[in-house]
């Protein structure tokens, strides 16, 4: 083997590096464009979406996560993923479904006693005040198991799940009223309201659809099921819903398909669902006066079914709160215009998109002008009496969102794979752009509020096909970003979304979101209150009763207290951990061997877990977040002793390995470290650091660490006084650990001040 001359290699590689650097330095934009085959259009698109390192996005998108049961959060225009919020499905990174606090949230979503650990999420809705986003809450539905979840945007966590008491599936949710008094959730597949068997032969008589209005208590940040109600509807498959705005604010609109009430039966030689459910030329738009419906419930005019207030069809007709209007075949989408004057509905099997006039609907109602009644006695307003206009947009129109310009609408064309920009006042197409492929929903910034901001449009496509590197038969979804700020729409970016099939998304101006960076100390984030298990530093304890062990512990860089937990086989064990950190982004995790335990402890949070220690053995645990240089040492042991265990003779005591010399050396090192810390502190305090909140927070954190250092120093000195050099040296080492953390934080603060060009004050 030829021996390498290392010096020569080093020189050559250094030379090589120099050459490469020279090439890099020389490469111009033109060179890059040639090398990567980019056009000027590509460069423009890149410039419109690129967010430089350290800079932030202008809009934040909350996308449904489809079957994953999560919500996906990303930024616009960069399309960078920011978070998956666990909603209906356990998610270990967030500890969701692993700590007792979040298990309790998931358990609220049990259906007839059965745990459901996924959701088919379709429509996220942001809370509104006066018809505009306020950045406080997010709601999302589960189509498969009719449920609505409440996500608090103060910390981006799921706080509540409610199960629809009368439906067995739902689709037309979540959409909110102008001031988020109610969240609507309409049924999809009609079923009996009661939880019992009813043969399909009784479909017309016993199966029902409907619209549920969930009451939201803003002060509590929770849905109040007792104050919620359902307006019963015929067994037409209710589909999407929307609340009115401005003049139509007291009303809601829900479209439907399969008003044929076809029940299939290909097994009996009958035509399939898809044929029977699209036989008629029209279906029905349901128009509901929800404000009046809520008053009827208060007046005691609702019927209790499954302990839930239901306004029957009969009552709804008698009280004049429910009307039907024909809509073009197999409609999808019902979207109220920003001014609240029109409702836009598209027919999937019709090229027309219909614009209904709220004013005309009201005129027909007050004049009692109906073209007839449906089989359930609900008055039908003639389509011609309610229509403002119709527009021929293209094939397979689905969903509509609105732009910032007057009468500007965007409608997805599923079959054509296009987006049409059009004028809903005039019913006139303005522009079209090709989508890849088969677009479902689309979304513009604040596009479902009273004040759409326009700017960007995201096409939520059903198929990706060949747009990305292949990853097997299951493809990611494709969210395409489109610039709508100019007269011609232009495609900017394709983002693969590898988590479920998102249906709808909402985009909010990032300035409106003000999430917290840490919890109040000892916080139960799911219940949104101080945890009864909140534990302060030095107050950690283990409470033992026969057969039961309860531990109140803490985590902080870089140790878990307690470090050793001893229990007996069969013990019922509960461990509560509080993260004592106050620093931003100092999350600790907790994983324990073989018990399916995985916690996420963000600063301030208290989480719990419970299990039966049914198998004797040794169970190591550790912190799962790389939280400091001594993260790997953030560990401990759970020891489960067999019942009736006979203590073996103790091993000979630990042998001391450290001497006075070790102690003195460590102290010397610590003094030198302190000098560095003092210099950093001097730099910071001689500048206007108080004007930088993140530096103030860092200083608080550093002060904490220095206080811990002082405690360790006291212990070291005390041991040294007793000439216990072993413990003196170890405590001196711990003192140094805290100093290092403080120094690290201080240097971060110093670098930040330098970058920000802080001013010298002293
Ligand atoms: S739905 Cu999926 S594309 Cu659930 Cu809003 Cu239209
Ligand atoms: Cu805490 Cu790693």
């Amino acid at each position: 083997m030829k021996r390498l001359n290392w010096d020569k290699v080093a020189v050559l590689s250094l030379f090589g590096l120099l050459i490469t650097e020279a090439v890099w330095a020389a490469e111009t934009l033109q060179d890059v464009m040639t090398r990567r085959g980019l056009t000027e259009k590509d460069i423009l698109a890149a410039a419109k979406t690129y967010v430089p390192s350290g800079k932030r996005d202008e809009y934040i998108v909350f996308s449904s996560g489809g079957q994953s049961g999560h919500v996906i959060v990303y930024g616009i225009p960069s399309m960078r993923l920011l978070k998956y919020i666990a909603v209906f499905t356990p998610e270990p990174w967030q500890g969701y479904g692993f700590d007792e606090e979040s298990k309790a949230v998931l358990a609220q979503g049990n259906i007839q006693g059965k745990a459901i650990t996924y959701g088919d999420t379709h429509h996220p809705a942001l809370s509104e005040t006066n018809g505009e986003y306020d950045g406080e809450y997010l709601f999302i539905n589960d189509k498969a198991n009719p449920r609505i979840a409440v996500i608090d945007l103060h910390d981006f966590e799921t706080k509540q799940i409610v199960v629809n008491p009368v439906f067995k599936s739902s689709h037309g949710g979540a959409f909110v009223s102008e001031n988020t008094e109610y969240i609507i959730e309409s049924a999809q597949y009609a079923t009996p309201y009661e939880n019992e068997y009813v043969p399909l032969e009784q479909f017309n008589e016993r199966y029902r659809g409907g619209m549920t209005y969930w009451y939201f208590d803003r002060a509590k940040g929770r849905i109040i099921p007792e104050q919620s109600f359902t307006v019963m509807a015929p067994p037409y498959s209710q589909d999407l819903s929307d609340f009115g705005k401005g003049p139509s604010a007291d009303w809601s609109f829900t479209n439907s398909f399969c008003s044929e009430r076809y029940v299939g039966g290909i097994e009996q030689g009958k035509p399939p669902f898809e044929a029977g459910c699209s036989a008629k030329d029209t279906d029905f738009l349901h128009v509901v006066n929800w404000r009046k419906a809520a008053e009827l419930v208060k007046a005691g005019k609702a019927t209790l079914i499954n302990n839930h207030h239901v306004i029957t069809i009969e009552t709804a007709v008698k009280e004049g709160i429910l009307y039907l209007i024909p809509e073009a075949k197999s409609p999808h989408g019902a979207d109220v215009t920003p001014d609240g004057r029109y409702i836009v509905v598209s027919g999937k099997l019709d090229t027309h998109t219909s614009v209904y006039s709220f004013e005309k609907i009201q005129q027909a109602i007050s004049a009692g002008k109906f073209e007839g009644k449906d089989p359930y006695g609900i008055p039908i307003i003639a389509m011609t009496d309610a229509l403002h206009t119709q527009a021929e947009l293209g094939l397979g129109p689905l969903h509509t969102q609105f732009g910032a310009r007057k009468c500007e609408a965007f409608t997805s064309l599923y079959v054509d794979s296009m987006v049409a920009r059009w004028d809903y006042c005039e019913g006139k197409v303005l522009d079209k752009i090709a989508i890849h492929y088969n677009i479902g929903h689309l979304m513009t910034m604040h596009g479902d509020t009273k004040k759409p901001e326009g700017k960007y449009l995201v096409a939520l496509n059903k198929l990706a096909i060949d747009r990305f590197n292949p990853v097997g038969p299951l493809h990611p979804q494709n969210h395409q970003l489109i610039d709508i700020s100019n007269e011609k729409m232009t495609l900017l970016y394709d983002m693969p979304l590898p988590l479920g099939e998102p249906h709808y998304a909402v985009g909010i101006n990032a300035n409106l979101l003000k999430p917290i960076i840490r919890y109040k100390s000892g916080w139960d984030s799911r219940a949104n209150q101080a945890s009864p298990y909140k534990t302060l530093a030095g107050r950690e304890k283990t409470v033992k009763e026969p057969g039961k062990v309860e531990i109140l512990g803490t985590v902080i860089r870089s140790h878990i207290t307690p470090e050793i937990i001893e229990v007996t086989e069969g013990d019922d064990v509960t461990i509560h951990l509080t993260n004592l950190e106050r620093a931003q982004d100092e999350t600790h995790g907790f994983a324990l061997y073989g018990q399916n335990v995985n916690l996420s402890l963000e600063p301030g949070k208290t989480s719990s877990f419970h299990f039966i220690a049914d198998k004797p053995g040794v169970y190591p645990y550790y912190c799962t977040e790389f939280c400091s240089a001594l993260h790997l040492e953030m560990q401990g042991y759970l020891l489960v002793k067999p019942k009736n265990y006979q203590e073996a003779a103790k091993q000979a005591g630990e042998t001391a390995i450290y001497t006075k010399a070790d102690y003195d050396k460590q102290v010397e090192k610590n003094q030198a470290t302190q000098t560095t810390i003092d210099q950093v502190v001097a730099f910071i305090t001689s500048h206007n650091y108080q004007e930088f909140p993140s530096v103030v927070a860092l200083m608080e954190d550093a002060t904490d660490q220095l206080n811990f250092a002082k405690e360790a120093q006291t212990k070291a000195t005390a041991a040294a006084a007793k000439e216990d050099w072993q413990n003196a040296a170890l405590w001196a080492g711990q003192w140094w650990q805290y100093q290092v953390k403080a120094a690290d934080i201080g240097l971060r603060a110093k670098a930040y001040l330098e970058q920000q060009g802080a001013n010298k004050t002293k």
Side-chain angles (χ1 to χ4, degrees):
M1 218 172 79
K2 221 173 138 189
R3 264 191 70 196
L4 284 173
N5 179 332
W6 286 107
D7 282 347
K8 210 168 162 191
V9 171
V11 168
L12 280 176
S13 60
L14 188 64
F15 194 54
L17 192 71
L18 288 174
I19 291 172
T20 337
E21 272 200 336
V23 171
W24 284 345
E27 207 175 27
T28 63
L29 179 58
Q30 221 13 273
D31 296 334
V32 177
M33 287 171 70
T34 313
R35 178 164 60 82
R36 300 198 60 214
L38 301 175
T39 64
E40 202 160 301
K41 226 174 109 202
D42 295 332
I43 298 300
L44 192 59
K48 282 183 179 181
T49 54
Y50 181 64
V51 174
S53 173
K55 295 278 184 324
R56 295 179 185 182
D57 278 298
E58 189 182 351
Y59 290 95
I60 301 298
V61 176
F62 296 90
S63 169
S64 97
Q67 311 89 325
S68 76
H70 298 318
V71 162
I72 305 164
V73 187
Y74 62 82
I76 280 185
S78 76
M79 307 299 271
R80 293 181 299 189
L81 283 172
L82 297 169
K83 196 170 220 175
Y84 295 132
I85 305 173
V87 183
F88 294 110
T89 308
E91 199 288 302
W93 170 55
Q94 294 156 76
Y96 191 66
F98 294 87
D99 62 58
E100 303 305 326
E101 289 79 0
S102 61
K103 276 190 212 167
V105 176
L106 275 170
Q108 296 168 2
N110 289 1
I111 294 197
Q112 295 189 46
K114 201 166 256 186
I116 308 288
T117 54
Y118 83 102
D120 184 15
T121 59
H122 278 231
H123 307 110
L126 286 160
S127 57
E128 293 179 14
T129 301
N130 298 324
E132 291 185 58
Y133 294 155
D134 51 44
E136 291 203 314
Y137 292 93
L138 182 80
F139 311 95
I140 194 159
N141 75 316
D142 171 7
K143 172 171 166 168
N145 320 285
R147 302 181 293 179
I148 298 280
V150 179
I151 297 157
D152 191 338
L153 294 177
H154 300 107
D155 62 356
F156 285 51
E157 273 198 350
T158 303
K159 306 295 180 183
Q160 185 187 22
I161 295 175
V162 290
V163 179
N164 194 295
V166 288
F167 301 159
K168 311 288 181 280
S169 80
S170 78
H171 189 230
F175 302 96
V176 301
S177 59
E178 227 175 43
N179 284 299
T180 322
E181 302 100 327
Y182 287 94
I183 301 141
I184 192 171
E185 180 193 26
S186 67
Q188 179 107 85
Y189 308 112
T191 47
Y193 273 21
E194 295 76 17
N195 295 324
E196 62 188 47
Y197 170 74
V198 177
L200 275 169
E201 284 70 28
Q202 295 176 27
F203 189 83
N204 294 352
E205 300 77 38
R206 293 282 311 276
Y207 285 50
R208 289 292 177 266
M211 286 71 63
T212 299
Y213 298 82
W214 290 104
Y215 176 71
F216 184 64
D217 184 328
R218 175 80 70 139
K220 292 198 176 91
R222 295 291 183 274
I223 285 171
I224 313 293
E226 299 74 28
Q227 285 169 254
S228 307
F229 63 92
T230 294
V231 174
M232 191 185 264
Y236 311 144
S237 299
Q238 281 77 31
D239 196 37
L240 285 148
S241 303
D242 202 0
F243 272 97
K245 298 178 175 72
S248 57
D250 292 350
W251 295 72
S252 71
F253 309 90
T254 300
N255 68 13
S256 64
F257 61 91
C258 204
S259 57
E260 293 86 352
R261 295 179 290 164
Y262 190 65
V263 293
I266 202 165
E267 296 77 7
Q268 287 117 41
K270 291 193 216 153
F273 269 113
E274 52 190 302
C277 280
S278 55
K280 286 201 314 172
D281 277 341
T282 53
D283 287 291
F284 290 121
L285 177 66
H286 300 52
V287 180
V288 179
N289 185 334
W290 64 265
R291 182 84 66 190
K292 203 161 163 202
E295 283 160 15
L296 293 177
V297 174
K298 282 207 188 102
K301 299 206 171 156
T303 309
L304 273 189
I305 302 181
N306 300 340
N307 221 5
H308 170 74
H309 299 294
V310 175
I311 298 180
T312 61
I313 298 178
E314 206 193 337
T315 307
V317 171
K318 202 172 94 202
E319 301 285 345
I321 60 155
L322 174 62
Y323 302 90
L324 299 173
I325 310 173
E327 46 184 8
K329 209 166 180 152
S330 300
H332 198 53
D335 299 283
V336 175
T337 56
D339 59 12
R341 295 179 59 206
Y342 304 105
I343 305 104
V344 180
V345 176
S346 296
K348 294 190 298 269
L349 299 180
D350 194 282
T351 51
H352 289 96
T353 292
S354 303
V355 182
Y356 293 88
S357 156
F358 179 71
E359 205 182 313
K360 286 188 177 179
I361 294 170
Q362 291 306 307
Q363 277 165 7
I365 293 173
S366 45
K369 191 170 178 231
F370 305 112
E371 66 174 14
K373 285 178 176 177
D374 85 332
Y376 301 87
I378 307 171
I380 302 172
I381 301 168
M383 198 170 182
T384 44
D385 287 342
L387 270 187
H388 165 69
T389 184
Q390 281 190 315
E392 194 148 345
L393 302 179
L395 296 179
L398 298 182
H399 300 287
T400 297
Q401 285 260 295
F402 303 95
R405 295 174 183 83
K406 193 166 176 281
C407 303
E408 185 184 33
F410 299 85
T411 297
S412 54
L413 304 172
Y414 176 83
V415 178
D416 271 345
S417 287
M418 294 189 103
V419 166
R421 169 192 246 158
W422 58 292
D423 179 319
Y424 62 79
C425 300
E426 303 291 325
K428 183 170 86 198
V429 177
L430 305 171
D431 186 21
K432 281 194 185 185
I433 188 169
I435 295 300
H436 314 86
Y437 302 92
N438 297 87
I439 174 173
H441 274 272
L442 41 63
M443 182 263 296
T444 56
M445 303 306 104
H446 294 222
D448 56 7
T449 70
K450 271 186 173 171
K451 290 217 181 102
E453 297 193 358
K455 292 191 189 176
Y456 302 101
L457 181 147
V458 175
L460 287 80
N461 305 338
K462 293 299 164 196
L463 302 174
I465 310 190
D466 52 3
R467 302 297 284 184
F468 306 111
N469 299 62
V471 289
L474 182 62
H475 290 240
Q477 296 279 311
N478 185 6
H479 282 199
Q480 286 191 302
L481 182 68
I482 294 161
D483 181 357
I484 55 168
S485 51
N486 304 304
E487 205 179 319
K488 286 298 290 173
M489 294 183 275
T490 45
L491 179 63
L492 297 179
Y493 197 75
D494 279 25
M495 175 178 66
L497 258 196
L499 199 83
E501 185 203 318
H503 287 257
Y504 183 43
V506 282
I508 179 173
N509 198 310
N511 293 330
L512 291 170
L513 295 169
K514 300 199 167 54
I516 54 164
I517 57 167
R518 71 176 76 80
Y519 290 108
K520 287 180 204 157
S521 152
W523 203 248
D524 173 348
S525 67
R526 302 290 170 178
N528 204 28
Q529 61 190 30
S531 169
Y533 312 112
K534 162 181 174 171
T535 305
L536 301 173
R539 301 281 180 81
E540 297 89 353
K541 64 175 178 194
T542 301
V543 185
K544 286 196 181 184
E545 285 169 36
K548 216 176 141 190
V549 180
E550 187 162 17
I551 287 149
L552 293 137
T554 60
V555 292
I556 190 161
R557 278 159 290 170
S558 307
H559 52 261
I560 301 167
T561 309
E563 295 190 332
I564 295 161
I565 303 173
E566 285 184 301
V567 305
T568 308
E569 172 186 1
D571 275 355
D572 185 302
V573 184
T574 310
I575 303 182
H576 312 281
L577 292 174
T578 297
N579 184 345
L580 298 174
E581 303 281 357
R582 292 194 292 163
Q584 183 166 355
D585 202 13
E586 273 301 341
T587 295
H588 299 286
F590 183 90
L592 170 67
Y593 162 73
Q595 300 291 350
N596 204 30
V597 167
N598 186 61
L599 307 182
S600 172
L601 298 150
E602 297 93 59
K605 196 187 232 182
T606 298
S607 290
S608 312
F609 68 95
H610 166 253
F611 64 98
I612 306 289
D614 48 5
K615 288 222 168 52
V618 175
Y619 299 79
Y621 53 82
Y622 68 97
C623 166
T624 53
E625 292 265 343
F626 210 112
C627 50
S628 70
L630 287 168
H631 149 76
L632 292 175
E633 290 78 356
M634 199 163 167
Q635 57 164 349
Y637 284 104
L638 166 77
L639 301 161
V640 184
K641 278 187 204 167
K643 269 193 183 125
N644 312 317
Y645 180 71
Q646 294 296 318
E647 292 288 336
K650 279 257 189 265
Q651 282 182 8
E654 295 166 42
T655 24
I657 39 176
Y658 298 111
T659 61
K660 180 172 187 301
D662 293 312
Y663 172 72
D664 291 340
K665 204 168 132 202
Q666 184 65 56
V667 170
E668 205 178 307
K669 192 165 158 192
N670 295 2
Q671 276 154 358
T673 307
Q674 194 58 47
T675 312
T676 314
I677 292 172
D678 293 344
Q679 283 163 0
V680 175
V681 170
F683 176 91
I684 294 168
T685 50
S686 66
H687 286 73
N688 56 339
Y689 78 97
Q690 261 137 339
E691 288 164 35
F692 301 89
S694 53
V695 174
V696 173
L698 286 170
M699 287 296 276
E700 278 175 16
D701 187 23
T703 309
D704 283 350
Q705 300 298 329
L706 287 175
N707 286 336
F708 295 139
K710 212 160 271 161
E711 283 170 31
Q713 183 181 5
T714 309
K715 286 178 181 161
T717 320
K722 283 188 264 170
E723 298 197 355
D724 173 1
W725 302 116
Q726 174 74 5
N727 282 314
L730 286 173
W731 278 116
Q734 184 64 30
W735 158 18
W736 185 70
Q737 295 301 346
Y738 288 123
Q739 286 185 311
V740 171
K741 284 171 209 155
D744 176 48
I745 299 159
L747 287 168
R748 228 190 297 163
K750 181 171 176 259
Y752 184 89
L753 288 177
E754 283 166 348
Q755 276 164 19
Q756 302 291 323
N759 297 323
K760 217 167 153 51
T761 51
K762 294 179 203 164

